[in-house]
Amino acid sequence: MRQSYIPSSTSSSSSSSSSLLIWISLFSTVLLSSSRLVQAQLGETICACSPTTFEFELDFSLSCPGTISDGNGIDQSDCFTTNFGTSSPDDTTPVLVNIIQILELNQGRQTLATYSRTGSYETGDTFSYTSLTAEGVDDISEVPGGLQITLTGENSAGDQLLQNWIIAYTNDCTISPIFDEGDSIGWTSVVTVGPARGDVCTAVSDSSPVVAPPPMSLELPTMEMVPMCMSMLPPIPPPTIALEFPEMDRHMCMCMCMSMPSMCMSMPSMCMSM
């Protein structure tokens, strides 16, 4: 059976307090134990798609039940407000809240973590809670199955008020986020929520954008193209070709000169020597 905060001091009769205790116990048992018993594999059929962080704002103009309802990742939800006083028993609008208690529940509907703070909180004040899932989930027993918040305050007549709201998650792996900014239940509205972890919520991991690796750039050093023949090899002198002509008689030379005078002009010694 889960815990619900009950103020230690009250101006109501003992019978009223006892009735309220019994009502809260029955309410918690019926609401949360009606959910299925979980025997599943983490990240496949049961996921922790609830927020990792919550920021709430108190708004005393709101009342139960609010805008949060069953569906969209929420299995069941309920909210009630009780006036313990006699001065103005029908007035359930607070002027301040002095105790805030948060219970985070596991899949077995047992308390995973508790958080409480005291002070003098007015409408417009905010409070935050960080889920255990923010540090990681290693086992199915660590998957949150619900959230319960109890607010204790007083109305303008000084009567003590208690508001208790509770939400049970479906733990559906395909739904995230469960809460939206501006959602409300009782005197509490949602300001911001942190996203669920992708390693235990496929709805988050499947929707994560795939970041393509940056294109590879290959930079080659600038090379100065220098003709290898000019820079590396010494100049090669042209070969000296010695022309050898066969011996010709005068008659042959005269015939050659008459038929090819340019040849005789270029090689005069050939015929002159004859």
Side-chain angles (χ1 to χ4, degrees):
M1 182 181 300
R2 298 188 320 280
Q3 303 176 18
S4 297
Y5 177 81
I6 303 297
S8 57
S9 59
T10 175
S11 57
S12 64
S13 63
S14 59
S15 59
S16 298
S17 299
S18 300
S19 299
L20 180 63
L21 283 170
I22 295 173
W23 194 95
I24 292 177
S25 299
L26 290 175
F27 167 76
S28 300
T29 301
V30 171
L31 175 62
L32 293 182
S33 64
S34 62
S35 298
R36 67 206 180 287
L37 294 176
V38 177
Q39 291 181 349
Q41 187 169 356
L42 176 62
E44 294 186 2
T45 56
I46 293 296
C47 288
C49 291
S50 53
T52 51
T53 59
F54 300 82
E55 183 180 5
F56 298 106
E57 179 180 356
L58 294 174
D59 187 345
F60 298 156
S61 67
L62 302 175
S63 60
C64 292
T67 62
I68 296 177
S69 59
D70 300 354
N72 194 35
I74 296 176
D75 184 28
Q76 293 175 303
S77 63
D78 208 343
C79 174
F80 69 89
T81 305
T82 302
N83 185 329
F84 287 92
T86 57
S87 299
S88 184
D90 296 329
D91 183 4
T92 56
T93 300
V95 294
L96 63 88
V97 165
N98 45 41
I99 299 176
I100 300 172
Q101 184 182 54
I102 301 174
L103 301 180
E104 190 168 24
L105 311 172
N106 64 11
Q107 285 294 304
R109 309 315 183 191
Q110 302 297 318
T111 300
L112 269 179
T114 62
Y115 170 81
S116 62
R117 57 191 300 180
T118 60
S120 181
Y121 305 101
E122 301 178 351
T123 187
D125 290 342
T126 60
F127 61 96
S128 303
Y129 175 71
T130 299
S131 170
L132 291 180
T133 59
E135 300 179 358
V137 177
D138 299 322
D139 187 76
I140 195 76
S141 63
E142 299 175 354
V143 175
L147 189 70
Q148 176 180 331
I149 291 185
T150 302
L151 304 174
T152 305
E154 61 183 52
N155 61 16
S156 57
D159 294 334
Q160 192 168 31
L161 305 177
L162 181 143
Q163 184 177 91
N164 190 80
W165 62 258
I166 189 167
I167 292 174
Y169 305 141
T170 63
N171 295 106
D172 192 322
C173 292
T174 64
I175 300 176
S176 184
I178 295 176
F179 300 96
D180 293 320
E181 295 181 8
D183 284 347
S184 66
I185 184 167
W187 304 327
T188 311
S189 64
V190 177
V191 180
T192 58
V193 291
R197 295 177 59 95
D199 56 343
V200 289
C201 179
T202 54
V204 174
S205 59
D206 291 346
S207 62
S208 300
V210 177
V211 180
M216 295 181 63
S217 59
L218 181 62
E219 296 184 1
L220 297 175
T222 303
M223 298 181 65
E224 183 179 357
M225 302 301 294
V226 179
M228 295 181 66
C229 294
M230 297 292 294
S231 61
M232 300 178 66
L233 298 177
I236 301 175
T240 302
I241 302 175
L243 299 176
E244 296 181 0
F245 299 96
E247 293 183 1
M248 297 183 290
D249 57 16
R250 182 179 295 276
H251 178 73
M252 185 180 295
C253 181
M254 290 180 65
C255 292
M256 184 180 295
C257 289
M258 291 179 64
S259 60
M260 294 182 291
S262 60
M263 184 175 180
C264 291
M265 293 295 292
S266 62
M267 298 180 292
S269 60
M270 184 175 65
C271 291
M272 294 297 293
S273 63
M274 292 184 178

